[in-house]
Amino acid sequence: MGEKTFYITTPIYYVNDLPHIGHAFTTVLADITARYKRLLGYDVFFLTGTDEHGQKAERAARQRGITPQELADRVVENYYRLWERLGIQYSRFIRTTEPIHRRAVQRFFQRLVERGDIYKGVYEGWYCPGCEAFVPEGSVTDGRHADCGREVERLQEESYFFRLSRYQGPLLEYYRAHPEFIRPESRYNEVVRFVEAGLKDLSVSRRTVRWGIPVPDDPDHVIYVWLDALTNYISALGWADGDPLYERYWPADVHLVGKDILRFHCVYWPAFLMSAGLPLPRQVFGHGWWLRAQSKMSKSLGNIISPEELLEFSSPDMVRYYLAREAPLDADSDFSYEGYQTRVNADLAHDYGNLVHRLTTMLDRFCEGRVPDYSRLDGEMVAVRTDLETWVGRLEAWVDRLAYPDLLREAWVHVQRLNGLIARREPWRLMRDPATRPEARTLLGFLTEALRLITVGVWPVIPFGAGTFLERLHQPVPPDRRHLTWGILSPGTPVALGPELYPRIELPPEIRSEGIPSPVSIPSSTEGLAMIDIQTFMQVDLRVGEIVAAEPIEKSRKLLKLTVDLGTERRQVVAGIAPYYRPEELRGRKVVVVANLEPAVLMGTESQGMILAADVDGRPYLLEVPAEVPNGSRVR
């Protein structure tokens, strides 16, 4: 066949409740990865679905007065609808109530029996219905599971057991030979420590739960829901029926999961596969959680974010972009509506959307609505093109690490660079003079091709708006790898006008603003502000300072700690600019500092001043000072 294949999965989601932002996060990341891999020329299989068996589904159905199957049929429609709205392009949606899955689970269980790894015994211990897992004695405090806080039950019943203890050595050996199997590195270390502490045999059947797949030849027992659920990764490929999809795509390249189910995927699942004599997946990637005010989201706290709610006042691209841009995958992320509004308005509405609008409008006005010739680039344009091609060359490496915050941060550096070219070179002014008109046309052609290349590179993240812009350029959607090269747009290509891609969003009145105030924020309008006299203004001591060090503040995604040289002293200043500036970009910059501001403590760190910035649609732009101005100079 020759074509490179790529198989990515999400967990299958429980049907005991509606999808929340955690489900959307995992699925959006998987979809973005699948789209990038298709763009880069891979034959991709992307699997998601629902886990419809087990005690949680059984209880939730009983509470509603319906059967578990009726509950599953109702809830799964919410997933279908949400994934369609978010543009999720899965290859297969597996439901564990499908006959193909039942056949695979029973055959898989029988394979473990044949290998001598299943035996019957009696289980007694703590069981957490919320996690659908048995809990060690040391993980129970005051009758609750220490990991999730839910009440546990004491169970004693006949059970089939899997000889998990037999696989402690083989698992550790495999981890050490394949460190890439568990990512990021912090998750790898966590799993290794867990297995090194010792593995006990695992109960893999229940007699008190009836909603599930019966054990072959012993229908009084239902197969443990996690053994059932994990098998979906091969049942969806038709493993039990000899479907060629299994041979083509297995083993999976990436199981993308939340960190709370890491143990099931990195310990139980590979042990089951080893026993069954099947290849192990190449990688399990365990991402962090989305938090609210540094607390895990839960129904009991009433702090769950619904993707449907976000889609009521913003676009699918905005949800996708925010989730991909804001979440470092090796740490938890804190959601706030204010942070969401600020990010998508600044990056999508202002930076990207406004650039598309300005550029297409100028092409319509000055170039008859067609792409002008851009073959004769000046030195600055050549430098921008070179940097863009370097960025494109790094795309696959970022995708393989799921490093979307880094990929998008650098993409928007290029977007801002194009906006800066327009602001500095003013093509509308150049068009007035016949002598400079060729320069203006070349610049507009260059900008159009540069923005097209960026757009192809971020299309997997924002497919709706990026796809619309590509269609206005009469480019194919979806694009393919050929379109990740410079020079695709032919001079004379018509460019269509259209409405704004990303209108600014406003938070609905019922949503409370809850973000941390930014030390650099200033009012966006002077309306209603009190007038001051010159003597009052002169009381503000504004000084030129040079940023000599910058670093993140632990547990904060907005704040950076800056060391600023004011000539006669150095000050520590905390600034809420982490979403917009990397620390390494700030060192050496000359800025304006409010030097006589009363110190304040933000996130446990003292701030001894304020860095001034312009507020453009919620995005701070640092005010910069020429390099030749001495540190400590007074600003008047």
Side-chain angles (χ1 to χ4, degrees):
M1 290 177 282
E3 191 175 13
K4 296 179 293 185
T5 62
F6 183 79
Y7 180 24
I8 186 169
T9 71
T10 72
I12 50 176
Y13 304 117
Y14 286 127
V15 292
N16 65 315
D17 211 340
L18 299 176
H20 55 67
I21 198 168
H23 302 124
F25 178 48
T26 310
T27 311
V28 164
L29 290 182
D31 181 72
I32 289 171
T33 305
R35 286 174 181 264
Y36 268 115
K37 287 295 185 177
R38 294 187 194 107
L39 177 62
L40 293 166
Y42 287 76
D43 170 17
V44 174
F45 197 93
F46 167 24
L47 176 68
T48 190
T50 43
D51 178 4
E52 304 182 5
H53 290 141
Q55 191 175 52
K56 281 201 291 188
E58 197 173 56
R59 288 181 173 179
R62 189 183 306 121
Q63 290 169 359
R64 292 167 172 80
I66 58 177
T67 68
Q69 187 64 64
E70 288 174 322
L71 173 70
D73 291 342
R74 290 182 187 180
V75 174
V76 76
E77 291 298 326
N78 295 296
Y79 284 95
Y80 289 151
R81 182 177 64 253
L82 179 59
W83 294 164
E84 182 178 7
R85 291 188 72 184
L86 288 174
I88 306 298
Q89 294 184 334
Y90 50 79
S91 309
R92 173 84 155 88
F93 189 103
I94 183 72
R95 298 181 62 183
T96 57
T97 49
E98 294 179 39
I100 190 175
H101 179 73
R102 180 187 178 113
R103 292 194 299 272
V105 171
Q106 291 190 318
R107 182 183 172 192
F108 192 71
F109 190 95
Q110 191 61 41
R111 179 77 71 93
L112 305 186
V113 172
E114 293 166 358
R115 298 291 176 127
D117 283 332
I118 298 288
Y119 65 92
K120 186 180 281 189
V122 175
Y123 179 82
E124 180 176 2
W126 295 108
Y127 182 78
C128 176
C131 297
E132 302 221 62
F134 295 101
V135 179
E137 292 283 347
S139 296
V140 176
T141 305
D142 296 328
R144 293 184 177 273
H145 185 190
D147 289 352
C148 72
R150 299 184 181 97
E151 291 186 1
V152 295
E153 303 170 350
R154 192 74 181 177
L155 296 180
Q156 182 179 19
E157 64 178 12
E158 182 183 75
S159 174
Y160 284 94
F161 287 82
F162 173 72
R163 298 185 193 276
L164 184 63
S165 58
R166 177 181 287 179
Y167 291 92
Q168 179 173 343
L171 284 170
L172 289 172
E173 183 179 339
Y174 188 83
Y175 299 153
R176 288 160 186 156
H178 302 86
E180 74 287 352
F181 176 63
I182 304 169
R183 281 289 175 262
E185 187 177 355
S186 58
R187 313 283 184 232
Y188 173 89
N189 296 332
E190 174 187 334
V191 171
V192 170
R193 286 193 299 269
F194 176 81
V195 176
E196 286 177 337
L199 296 178
K200 295 182 179 180
D201 290 352
L202 180 69
S203 174
V204 290
S205 75
R206 295 289 307 278
R207 296 190 68 178
T208 55
V209 176
R210 306 314 309 152
W211 179 238
I213 298 174
V215 168
D217 303 321
D218 194 349
D220 287 340
H221 286 260
V222 167
I223 293 172
Y224 175 44
V225 69
W226 270 103
L227 176 53
D228 169 351
L230 290 164
T231 309
N232 92 91
Y233 300 128
I234 57 175
S235 72
L237 299 176
W239 168 75
D241 302 327
D243 193 311
L245 283 177
Y246 172 78
E247 293 297 330
R248 180 160 182 78
Y249 292 108
W250 188 259
D253 292 275
V254 182
H255 287 327
L256 185 59
V257 302
K259 66 178 184 179
D260 51 332
I261 55 174
L262 200 65
R263 182 179 66 194
F264 303 100
H265 286 80
C266 297
V267 181
Y268 299 170
W269 180 226
F272 294 155
L273 290 168
M274 286 177 175
S275 175
L278 300 179
L280 273 60
R282 295 188 175 94
Q283 186 174 98
V284 178
F285 198 108
H287 63 70
W289 291 331
W290 277 95
L291 309 176
R292 287 285 303 280
Q294 301 300 320
S295 298
K296 186 180 178 182
M297 297 185 193
S298 72
K299 286 189 293 183
S300 61
L301 293 176
N303 63 351
I304 289 177
I305 299 294
S306 164
E308 297 279 5
E309 179 187 41
L310 297 178
L311 290 170
E312 288 300 312
F313 65 88
S314 63
S315 72
D317 274 355
M318 288 177 169
V319 176
R320 292 171 63 98
Y321 180 83
Y322 180 80
L323 293 176
R325 174 64 177 80
E326 288 295 291
L329 295 183
D330 59 348
D332 295 336
S333 305
D334 200 61
F335 182 91
S336 76
Y337 289 105
E338 182 188 63
Y340 178 76
Q341 177 192 36
T342 298
R343 170 61 71 190
V344 300
N345 278 346
D347 289 11
L348 293 181
H350 182 266
D351 286 348
Y352 180 81
N354 189 46
L355 177 58
V356 168
H357 178 73
R358 294 171 74 192
L359 189 53
T360 54
T361 300
M362 286 189 287
L363 290 172
D364 180 70
R365 180 180 176 187
F366 300 126
C367 304
E368 300 79 43
R370 296 183 178 273
V371 178
D373 180 74
Y374 55 94
S375 58
R376 297 183 178 180
L377 304 182
D378 60 30
E380 185 175 29
M381 297 178 197
V382 169
V384 172
R385 171 185 168 175
T386 299
D387 290 345
L388 267 178
E389 291 176 322
T390 299
W391 173 74
V392 168
R394 298 172 63 193
L395 285 177
E396 188 160 13
W398 276 315
V399 171
D400 287 343
R401 294 186 289 111
L402 275 69
Y404 297 120
D406 296 336
L407 184 158
L408 293 171
R409 187 182 298 112
E410 188 155 327
W412 256 252
V413 169
H414 296 301
V415 170
Q416 292 160 14
R417 198 171 178 184
L418 299 187
N419 274 315
L421 274 173
I422 292 175
R424 285 190 295 101
R425 298 181 67 161
E426 300 180 337
W428 56 89
R429 179 182 55 80
L430 297 174
M431 288 297 297
R432 297 175 192 151
D433 187 344
T436 56
R437 199 166 293 158
E439 177 188 345
R441 293 178 65 87
T442 298
L443 175 62
L444 291 174
F446 161 78
L447 290 167
T448 308
E449 173 61 3
L451 186 54
R452 181 206 64 83
L453 186 57
I454 294 170
T455 298
V456 173
V458 299
W459 171 83
V461 182
I462 50 171
F464 295 96
T468 297
F469 178 54
L470 291 174
E471 288 172 348
R472 292 179 189 175
L473 298 178
H474 294 84
Q475 296 297 297
V477 178
D480 59 39
R481 187 162 199 148
R482 293 169 298 171
H483 301 104
L484 284 170
T485 55
W486 182 268
I488 292 294
L489 277 181
S490 301
T493 299
V495 179
L497 293 174
E500 287 182 278
L501 294 180
Y502 300 111
R504 284 174 48 82
I505 65 167
E506 297 294 338
L507 299 181
E510 64 272 16
I511 293 178
R512 181 174 55 88
S513 179
E514 54 191 27
I516 300 172
S518 167
V520 297
S521 62
I522 58 175
S524 57
S525 170
T526 60
E527 185 177 352
L529 294 182
M531 302 297 288
I532 62 172
D533 57 29
I534 188 64
Q535 287 78 19
T536 302
F537 173 75
M538 292 302 291
Q539 294 176 25
V540 182
D541 186 11
L542 301 177
R543 299 281 177 173
V544 172
E546 180 179 351
I547 300 173
V548 295
E551 60 183 280
I553 290 179
E554 187 177 357
K555 297 183 179 180
S556 174
R557 295 177 51 256
K558 291 187 176 183
L559 304 179
L560 292 178
K561 181 172 70 175
L562 312 177
T563 302
V564 183
D565 185 349
L566 293 178
T568 58
E569 61 175 316
R570 290 192 172 188
R571 294 276 190 91
Q572 177 176 286
V573 178
V574 176
I577 56 175
Y580 311 100
Y581 292 93
R582 289 176 290 180
E584 59 269 23
E585 296 175 323
L586 294 170
R587 298 181 189 107
R589 288 200 184 208
K590 296 264 183 120
V591 293
V592 178
V593 180
V594 181
N596 63 337
L597 190 68
E598 184 176 341
V601 176
L602 299 169
M603 294 291 288
T605 303
E606 186 178 45
S607 182
Q608 303 162 336
M610 177 185 286
I611 307 291
L612 293 191
D615 185 339
V616 181
D617 295 331
R619 180 193 185 94
Y621 288 86
L622 294 181
L623 303 182
E624 296 194 46
V625 178
E628 60 270 20
V629 178
N631 296 344
S633 298
R634 183 81 187 266
V635 178
R636 298 175 184 271

